[in-house]
Short mmCIF file of all heavy atoms in Angstrom, two decimals:
data_model
loop_
_atom_site.label_atom_id
_atom_site.label_comp_id
_atom_site.label_asym_id
_atom_site.label_seq_id
_atom_site.Cartn_x
_atom_site.Cartn_y
_atom_site.Cartn_z
N ARG A 6 71.53 26.22 42.63
CA ARG A 6 70.86 26.92 41.54
C ARG A 6 70.04 25.94 40.72
O ARG A 6 70.27 24.73 40.70
CB ARG A 6 71.89 27.64 40.66
CG ARG A 6 72.63 26.85 39.59
CD ARG A 6 73.24 25.56 39.99
NE ARG A 6 74.18 25.01 39.04
CZ ARG A 6 73.89 24.07 38.12
NH1 ARG A 6 72.68 23.61 37.99
NH2 ARG A 6 74.84 23.59 37.35
N ALA A 8 69.02 25.78 36.64
CA ALA A 8 69.53 26.44 35.44
C ALA A 8 68.81 25.96 34.19
O ALA A 8 69.38 25.33 33.32
CB ALA A 8 71.04 26.15 35.33
N PRO A 9 67.52 26.26 34.07
CA PRO A 9 66.77 25.76 32.92
C PRO A 9 67.14 26.46 31.61
O PRO A 9 67.53 27.63 31.61
CB PRO A 9 65.32 26.05 33.28
CG PRO A 9 65.34 27.08 34.33
CD PRO A 9 66.68 27.03 35.00
N SER A 10 67.03 25.72 30.53
CA SER A 10 67.21 26.28 29.19
C SER A 10 65.82 26.63 28.67
O SER A 10 64.93 25.79 28.69
CB SER A 10 67.85 25.26 28.26
OG SER A 10 69.05 24.81 28.82
N GLU A 42 69.55 29.51 31.04
CA GLU A 42 70.65 29.14 30.14
C GLU A 42 70.18 29.29 28.69
O GLU A 42 69.79 28.32 28.03
CB GLU A 42 71.13 27.72 30.46
CG GLU A 42 71.52 27.63 31.93
CD GLU A 42 72.63 26.65 32.24
OE1 GLU A 42 72.62 25.55 31.69
OE2 GLU A 42 73.52 27.01 33.06
N TYR A 192 78.11 24.77 26.35
CA TYR A 192 77.43 24.43 27.60
C TYR A 192 78.35 24.09 28.79
O TYR A 192 78.31 24.74 29.83
CB TYR A 192 76.42 23.29 27.35
CG TYR A 192 75.99 22.64 28.62
CD1 TYR A 192 75.11 23.30 29.49
CD2 TYR A 192 76.52 21.41 29.02
CE1 TYR A 192 74.77 22.73 30.70
CE2 TYR A 192 76.18 20.84 30.22
CZ TYR A 192 75.31 21.50 31.07
OH TYR A 192 74.98 20.96 32.27
N VAL A 196 78.56 26.73 32.06
CA VAL A 196 77.98 26.29 33.34
C VAL A 196 79.02 26.43 34.45
O VAL A 196 78.72 26.93 35.54
CB VAL A 196 77.52 24.81 33.23
CG1 VAL A 196 77.30 24.20 34.61
CG2 VAL A 196 76.25 24.72 32.43
N ARG A 210 71.47 18.29 40.08
CA ARG A 210 70.79 18.26 38.78
C ARG A 210 70.46 16.82 38.42
O ARG A 210 70.80 15.89 39.15
CB ARG A 210 71.68 18.90 37.72
CG ARG A 210 73.04 18.26 37.61
CD ARG A 210 73.94 19.03 36.67
NE ARG A 210 75.30 18.53 36.73
CZ ARG A 210 76.34 19.18 36.24
NH1 ARG A 210 76.20 20.34 35.65
NH2 ARG A 210 77.54 18.65 36.31
N HIS A 214 72.98 14.46 33.48
CA HIS A 214 74.17 15.32 33.42
C HIS A 214 75.42 14.65 33.99
O HIS A 214 76.49 15.27 33.99
CB HIS A 214 73.91 16.63 34.15
CG HIS A 214 73.05 17.59 33.35
ND1 HIS A 214 73.52 18.24 32.24
CD2 HIS A 214 71.76 17.96 33.50
CE1 HIS A 214 72.55 18.99 31.74
NE2 HIS A 214 71.47 18.83 32.47
N1 LIG B 1 70.66 23.93 31.33
C1 LIG B 1 70.74 22.58 31.75
C2 LIG B 1 69.42 21.88 31.51
O1 LIG B 1 68.43 22.53 31.32
C3 LIG B 1 71.06 22.44 33.22
C4 LIG B 1 72.48 22.50 33.48
C5 LIG B 1 72.89 22.15 34.88
O2 LIG B 1 72.05 22.03 35.78
O3 LIG B 1 74.09 22.04 35.08
O4 LIG B 1 69.40 20.67 31.50
#
Side-chain angles (χ1 to χ4, degrees):
R6 82 311 194 263
S10 305
E42 304 211 318
Y192 163 74
V196 164
R210 56 187 172 195
H214 283 289

